[in-house]
Amino acid sequence: MNVQEILDSIFKGIVPLLVTLGCFKLLDKKVGVIKIIFGMVVLGIYCHYLESHSRKLQLLGCSFLARRER
């Protein structure tokens, strides 16, 4: 197991933790639950959009514009 694999496994666990803590922080600031849910849906759609376009850019040969996939 190399350093990159260790970092990948750590960051896979940190992202859900940060999302959960961010939701608690927003709830402490009296943001409505519906707004938080709507924001998470919009964020999910946006991330999916970015991921699908990065794959299209790689297929077109613009690998310097897209993130590298394994």
Side-chain angles (χ1 to χ4, degrees):
M1 187 176 247
N2 60 16
V3 176
Q4 186 64 46
E5 291 173 354
I6 294 171
L7 289 176
D8 288 343
S9 66
I10 291 172
F11 283 113
K12 285 181 185 176
I14 287 179
V15 172
L17 177 66
L18 292 176
V19 169
T20 304
L21 293 175
C23 288
F24 279 124
K25 187 102 171 154
L26 289 172
L27 287 172
D28 282 343
K29 291 186 175 191
K30 305 293 185 207
V31 176
V33 175
I34 301 298
K35 289 182 182 178
I36 294 173
I37 293 171
F38 182 74
M40 290 176 72
V41 168
V42 169
L43 181 65
I45 292 170
Y46 179 70
C47 288
H48 177 73
Y49 174 79
L50 286 179
E51 181 182 3
S52 66
H53 280 355
S54 71
R55 286 184 190 156
K56 289 176 187 174
L57 288 173
Q58 271 187 328
L59 291 175
L60 292 174
C62 302
S63 60
F64 64 94
L65 296 173
R67 64 177 176 81
R68 297 196 104 156
E69 292 186 14
R70 294 174 195 246

